[in-house]
Amino acid sequence: MKKNITNLILMITLSTSFAYAQKISLKKENLSPHLVQVSFDGQQGKNAVRIVKSPEVIKVDEPTYVKIKNFNFGEGTVELEAMGKLLPNAPDSARAFIGLAFHINSDDSKFEGIYLRPTNAVAENQIRRNRSVQYFSYPDFKFNHSRKTNPGEFETYADIAPNEWIKMKVVVRGDSAKLYINGSQNPNFIVNKMKMGANQTGSLGLWVDIGTEGYFRNVTVRKNKQAAISR
């Protein structure tokens, strides 16, 4: 009887998803810029990378990110620190946009992501404050589309601010994603049905948008991986 119970516990343990952590090196040789300008000036701390959207890209919610080379992500947890600053020549529509892109396909024509609008979080206008966090899916489900079809469902308020380091933890499982900010025990934002669906894989990207000087550091990934049952 005792042996059977031990075997059952072992089978349950081996069949359960587990995660392993990997610290991502943000060195030049590990990064692939796409429609952005990248520098490593170290002004915002050791191992921080500075990213600015290319001025030639006029549209918003575009594939403007730095991709992690040779790294495939499906399900798991991504943790990072990000800071958004407004550039001196930032237009009125700039919000110090910073975020994480994931499930990026090989030709950058499809991905999804969660990003922050730090200046919205400190605005006096309540509607803008309610739009401090955003989920979007490129190319067919940008922020303006979600506001027309699902108002309020894919954005929310968060207690953040520009010119400050913000800890982001994005947990992806199936077709859902949860965002935890600055060590919160409960999710600050939940996406119950991502537009690309479940079982997606692709690259990770550090994302910025118009008028923003984005800084990123301390990127760690824990991939969910299914262990085979030993017989």
Side-chain angles (χ1 to χ4, degrees), residues 75-108:
E75 291 188 350
T77 301
V78 183
E79 297 186 65
L80 66 146
E81 293 179 65
M83 179 191 297
K85 294 185 172 186
L86 291 177
L87 290 167
N89 61 345
D92 291 340
S93 59
R95 302 289 184 258
F97 303 99
I98 45 174
L100 177 72
F102 48 95
H103 300 158
I104 305 169
N105 68 354
S106 59
D107 64 358
D108 298 289

Side-chain angles (χ1 to χ4, degrees), residues 41-77:
D41 55 20
Q43 292 182 14
Q44 297 300 331
K46 188 178 180 180
N47 299 324
V49 57
R50 176 183 180 270
I51 307 173
V52 175
K53 179 179 178 179
S54 296
E56 295 81 9
V57 184
I58 305 301
K59 294 181 179 179
V60 299
D61 286 7
E62 291 287 299
T64 48
Y65 42 59
V66 170
K67 289 196 294 187
I68 311 299
K69 287 184 179 179
N70 304 316
F71 195 88
N72 194 55
F73 176 79
E75 291 188 350
T77 301

